[in-house]
Amino acid sequence: MDKPLNVNRLRTHFSLIKLIAWTCIFLGLILFFSLHYPHSSPSNRLKYLEDSDWKYQILNSGRPKSRNGFRVLVTGAAGFVGMHVSTALRQRGDGVVGLDNFNGYYEKSLKRAREDLLKSKGVFIVEGDINDGVLLTKLFKLVKFTHVMHLAAQAGVRYAMKNPGSYVHSNIGGFVSLLEVCKLMNPQPAIVWASSSSVYGLNKKVPFSEIDRTDNPSSLYAATKKAGEAIAHTYNHIHGLSITGLRFFTVYGPWGRPDMAYFFFTRDILKGKQISVFEGLNGFTVSRDFTYIDDIVKGCLGALDTATKSTGSGGVKKGPAQLRVYNLGNTSPVPVRKLVNILEKLLKVKANKVVSPMPANGDVLFTHANISLARRELGYKPTTDLQSGLKKFVAWYLDYYKPSGKKSSV
């Protein structure tokens, strides 16, 4: 009986060593890259902090419509998922304050259009960086946030080949900056944040389950999300923060990101440009577990609604706190070739496509989510198939990018 016990102790010991190693490596990278990426300028920050109209808009936006409503800080609110989650929260009566730096990773006009839409719903977005601790602290002093929905991140697998520092700055440094502020609050907020299906990396076991190994990332983006999960564990263990990570699987839909395949395929098909459909060795089909945005939003709200309170106060842990991670996918992987076929039918345009080998840029050949845990604990149940979801996306795209050049706000 002693041998299994010793083996378990060794496994635990090495797991702790691995966790500490991951955390130390990426905290070191945070320190290095922080010297190369400036924070919000002091003049802009002071202008915000002293502006009474700015304060009023934040207070009004963060005020719940119902007595038991949440007060939620949504980072990355002008992003694809952030806009949809913020809208859903506000529509059900929660107070919502957004935070976004409106970076130039893709067209800013789309982010500003999302901001306008949220403004019409009564959601105010503060323009600022999650690495700005002074700004974050001010926001928490103005609004006693009960929850944080952390969706701000440097997205995209391929872009890391060009600008690796942005991933460390946003996905690791920004997450730590946010947690540092949250840990000092009294009471501390419960935190739900966006991890990624990319953490499964080179895992060949399918469908991907939350208990599978995630120590073989195939891209820097995946590595920063893996580091985020390790950092979440650390702040939960030391400071008593209630933290839930959500591993999103290829989210798509209206108001989506232009760097995603379904989006730029649509654009290029309409323009008659050639599109590349990648395949693996021996003709292996590239497939994705495409998940419609409305289903993802339901999962995000389910995570917020089931999150228990943090147990710390002023950075000091008072007792065990909730730490969770869930897959949010559709459970039905679809070959990218089929995605193109559906778009051709919806657009009534034949794609000029060429089949090419998948480049060594960090992308993986397939993703497939096991969502049994999220279904059981969050009540998560995706209902939109790819055909139906793409039909809604194409309708939005054709309306938003009208030939007249005028952008729709619906």
Side-chain angles (χ1 to χ4, degrees):
M1 297 296 291
D2 290 340
K3 187 174 180 180
L5 181 60
N6 290 334
V7 170
N8 288 334
R9 285 176 177 171
L10 280 173
R11 287 176 178 170
T12 302
H13 176 69
F14 284 119
S15 295
L16 288 172
I17 291 175
K18 189 179 293 184
L19 176 63
I20 293 170
W22 267 99
T23 305
C24 289
I25 289 171
F26 283 102
L27 287 178
L29 287 171
I30 292 169
L31 181 62
F32 175 78
F33 282 107
S34 65
L35 300 176
H36 297 78
Y37 287 81
H39 300 303
S40 302
S41 66
S43 58
N44 286 340
R45 179 196 298 158
L46 290 174
K47 179 185 72 174
Y48 276 144
L49 301 186
E50 300 305 323
D51 190 335
S52 59
D53 182 60
W54 181 78
K55 293 179 183 178
Y56 170 78
Q57 291 183 80
I58 291 174
L59 290 170
N60 190 52
S61 184
R63 186 178 298 113
K65 296 179 182 178
S66 60
R67 183 176 180 181
N68 297 321
F70 295 158
R71 294 182 296 277
V72 188
L73 173 66
V74 179
T75 69
F80 172 33
V81 178
M83 186 211 76
H84 284 279
V85 170
S86 297
T87 299
L89 288 170
R90 195 59 177 165
Q91 286 179 338
R92 75 176 195 176
D94 295 319
V96 182
V97 175
L99 177 65
D100 204 292
N101 67 355
F102 293 90
N103 68 22
Y105 173 58
Y106 57 81
E107 57 187 80
K108 289 186 180 181
S109 60
L110 180 57
K111 297 180 181 181
R112 292 300 181 185
R114 294 182 189 132
E115 179 188 29
D116 291 341
L117 181 60
L118 285 177
K119 186 176 181 180
S120 71
K121 307 289 184 182
V123 177
F124 179 66
I125 298 181
V126 176
E127 185 168 355
D129 197 309
I130 54 174
N131 284 281
D132 189 340
V134 173
L135 177 60
L136 286 171
T137 300
K138 180 65 176 181
L139 291 176
F140 272 90
K141 286 183 178 179
L142 285 172
V143 179
K144 302 297 182 184
F145 293 112
T146 57
H147 297 75
V148 173
M149 175 60 73
H150 178 48
L151 299 170
Q154 176 57 63
V157 170
R158 294 174 290 277
Y159 184 62
M161 304 285 285
K162 298 180 180 179
N163 190 3
S166 64
Y167 289 80
V168 178
H169 176 74
S170 298
N171 301 359
I172 301 176
F175 193 24
V176 170
S177 296
L178 178 64
L179 294 176
E180 278 292 304
V181 173
C182 289
K183 80 177 188 183
L184 296 175
M185 294 300 108
N186 186 16
Q188 297 170 331
I191 301 162
V192 177
W193 72 287
S195 182
S196 170
S197 63
S198 295
V199 300
Y200 291 109
L202 303 177
N203 193 340
K204 289 182 171 56
K205 171 187 167 293
V206 290
F208 300 152
S209 172
E210 291 88 347
I211 61 173
D212 291 342
R213 292 180 60 178
T214 55
D215 54 0
N216 293 297
S218 64
S219 66
L220 179 61
Y221 171 71
T224 60
K225 288 299 186 178
K226 169 65 177 178
E229 293 188 358
I231 290 167
H233 179 281
T234 302
Y235 276 82
N236 168 270
H237 175 67
I238 297 176
H239 303 293
L241 287 171
S242 170
I243 307 178
T244 301
L246 302 176
R247 295 172 177 170
F248 296 158
F249 282 71
T250 316
V251 190
Y252 74 100
W255 295 98
R257 285 186 5 229
D259 65 318
M260 298 292 285
Y262 73 93
F263 199 114
F264 63 73
F265 279 172
T266 299
R267 178 193 65 213
D268 291 345
I269 289 173
L270 288 172
K271 291 182 177 180
K273 292 185 177 181
Q274 188 178 82
I275 63 172
S276 295
V277 179
F278 297 129
E279 64 177 22
L281 295 174
N282 301 318
F284 189 92
T285 301
V286 176
S287 300
R288 291 289 181 270
D289 198 344
F290 295 102
T291 313
Y292 190 63
I293 183 61
D294 288 358
D295 292 324
I296 289 292
V297 169
K298 292 174 185 176
C300 290
L301 268 58
L304 283 171
D305 292 340
T306 57
T308 58
K309 293 182 179 180
S310 295
T311 63
S313 177
V316 180
K317 181 179 180 179
K318 304 295 184 181
Q322 188 181 60
L323 180 66
R324 307 179 296 173
V325 64
Y326 297 102
N327 288 336
L328 294 187
N330 195 52
T331 75
S332 300
V334 176
V336 174
R337 288 185 180 184
K338 183 175 180 180
L339 166 75
V340 174
N341 291 339
I342 294 173
L343 287 175
E344 288 177 319
K345 293 176 182 178
L346 292 171
L347 296 169
K348 297 181 174 60
V349 178
K350 188 69 176 177
N352 177 16
K353 54 182 178 288
V354 58
V355 178
S356 306
M358 176 172 279
N361 58 10
D363 258 332
V364 294
L365 289 173
F366 60 90
T367 59
H368 184 183
N370 178 336
I371 61 168
S372 57
L373 184 63
R375 181 185 290 116
R376 184 168 64 250
E377 298 188 3
L378 305 181
Y380 175 70
K381 186 179 179 181
T383 58
T384 308
D385 61 75
L386 186 60
Q387 172 80 32
S388 301
L390 285 177
K391 184 177 181 180
K392 295 177 182 179
F393 165 74
V394 167
W396 168 83
Y397 185 96
L398 294 176
D399 183 62
Y400 183 80
Y401 293 100
K402 292 179 178 178
S404 63
K406 294 182 179 180
K407 301 294 189 292
S408 171
S409 61
V410 297

